Amino acid sequence: MEITIQELNTLQESSYQIIDIRDEVEVSHGAIPGAVNVSKDAIEESKEIDFDKKLVICCSRGQFSVEVAERLAEQGYDAVSLSGGYVSWLLAQMEDDKETDICKDVEKSIRKKFRKHIWCKFTKAIREYELVKEGDCIAVCISGGKDSMLMAKLFQELKRHDKIPFEVKFLVMDPGYSPANRKMIEENAKKLQVPITIYESNIFESVFHVEKSPCYLCARMRRGHLYHYAQEMGCNKIALGHHYDDVIETILMGMLYGAQMQTMMPKLHSTNFEGMELIRPMYLIREEHVKAWRDYNQLHFLQCACKFTETCTSCENEETKSKRLEIKQLISRLKEKNPFVEGNIFKSVENVNLDTVVAYKKDGVKHHFLDTYDE
C-alpha cells in the first residue's frame, strides 16, 4: 500500500497523480511539482483528480497518507501512500542537487531580481528600526525554513557591503530534530554556503507529553535556549525570520482571539538575558516574495522540523492549527475589496491615538480613560 520515491521515479509520469493532503499553510512552504492539493476528506468529490490513474497520496512524513490510501483502495481505486511523504521527496531532491553549485545564483538573485522586494526591504528595516549598530555581534537563528535561510543570505550580503562594522554568526538550535530533518537543514546550509553552528537540546522530548499548549511552551523554551547559546557565542543580539505577513496576522489574531491590541515588534530587549536583544530584520518583506525567491532558485525547505508534527495531537488540533490559516484567508478576502487592507493593518499600530482608547497598558500598569477624564 506504499510506494517509495525510487519506485515512483521508475513509473511514467502520465500513469500516476500525486495527491497532497497537507493543509494550505504546509503546502505554501513547498510542494512536489505537479501535485494536486486536496484535503483528505474531499478527494472523492474533487474534479482535479484523475481516478483512472494511480493515486499517490502524500502528507508530510507518510503518517496520515497510509489511512487515506487504504480508504481509497477499499473503494476500488489504485491508491498508494508515498513512503516518507514530502520529507522523503525533499531528501531525494537534495541528493540530486548535491553536485550543483547554486549559491552564486542565489546570491545574484537577491542583488538583482529580488532587489526591490527583498534586499531593499531588508535594508530599509535595518535603517528604520536601527536593528544593526556598530560593534554588534548578531546570531542569525536558523530553523531550516525558507524565511530563516533567506535571512542568513541577506546578512551575508549585508556583511559583504560592510558599511556598518559588525559581526554575524549563524546558529541552529537542535531541540531534538529527527535525523531526516536535521540532515535537510545541514544540506541546505552547505548548499547555500552558510557556516552554521549547531547546539543540541532535548526540548521536543520535554514538551511531548504536555497536553496544554505544548507548541507555545516549545517556542518559549527554544527562545530561551537561543539567547543562551547566542551569549555563549559572544553575541549581543539574536535575529529571527518573521516577515511582514507574520506581523499583520499577529495583529488580527490578538484582536480576534486574544481581545488585545498588540503587534510583533521589530526589536525587543530581553527580560531574562541582560544585554541581549531580539531583532526581526525581515519585518518589511512580504511572504509572497520569500516564496518567489525560493521557487525561482528551486530551493526546498520544511515548514516545521518538529519530529512530532504528524503524531503530536497539538499539531492536528483544529483550534491551534487553523487560527493563522483563518486569519490568512480573512485578509485575502478583505484584500479583494480593498487592496490597501494589509498596509492599513500594518500601519494601525503606528497610528494609535491614546485619546480615543478606552484603556491601555504601559509597563504592566493599566490606564483607563476615566483616570484623567475630568482633569
Side-chain angles (χ1 to χ4, degrees), residues 2-13:
E2 287 189 313
I3 187 171
T4 66
I5 287 294
Q6 292 74 21
E7 292 169 337
L8 189 65
N9 289 337
T10 65
L11 303 178
Q12 290 187 342
E13 288 189 21

Side-chain angles (χ1 to χ4, degrees), residues 175-242:
Y177 292 142
S178 68
N181 290 343
R182 174 151 170 171
K183 181 179 179 182
M184 270 185 283
I185 294 172
E186 291 173 335
E187 289 294 335
N188 271 325
K190 182 179 179 181
K191 181 165 58 177
L192 295 175
Q193 296 180 19
V194 177
I196 58 175
T197 298
I198 301 178
Y199 287 89
E200 297 180 354
S201 72
N202 62 348
I203 291 176
F204 283 170
E205 295 293 345
S206 300
V207 303
F208 184 55
H209 297 291
V210 176
E211 294 184 5
K212 188 175 181 180
S213 304
C215 295
Y216 172 77
L217 178 60
C218 178
R220 289 296 299 270
M221 291 178 68
R222 280 186 292 167
R223 182 77 55 82
H225 278 68
L226 287 171
Y227 274 126
H228 174 71
Y229 294 138
Q231 275 191 330
E232 283 193 350
M233 296 171 71
C235 299
N236 65 310
K237 292 180 179 179
I238 64 171
L240 302 184
H242 297 115

Side-chain angles (χ1 to χ4, degrees), residues 232-270:
E232 283 193 350
M233 296 171 71
C235 299
N236 65 310
K237 292 180 179 179
I238 64 171
L240 302 184
H242 297 115
H243 48 63
Y244 185 98
D245 295 69
D246 291 324
V247 177
I248 61 175
E249 289 162 15
T250 298
I251 294 171
L252 282 189
M253 287 182 72
M255 293 174 62
L256 300 181
Y257 295 112
Q260 55 188 343
M261 185 67 181
Q262 63 178 18
T263 189
M264 183 180 282
M265 298 295 287
K267 65 179 181 179
L268 291 167
H269 287 291
S270 171

Side-chain angles (χ1 to χ4, degrees), residues 15 53 56 68 103 132 176 199 241 262 313 326 341 347 358:
S15 67
K53 293 183 177 181
V56 180
V68 175
C103 187
V132 179
Y199 287 89
Q262 63 178 18
T313 55
E326 287 178 7
V341 69
K347 293 174 184 176
V358 174

Side-chain angles (χ1 to χ4, degrees), residues 69-84:
E70 289 177 349
R71 185 187 80 211
L72 292 171
E74 288 174 358
Q75 298 177 41
Y77 300 114
D78 182 8
V80 293
S81 168
L82 180 61
S83 179

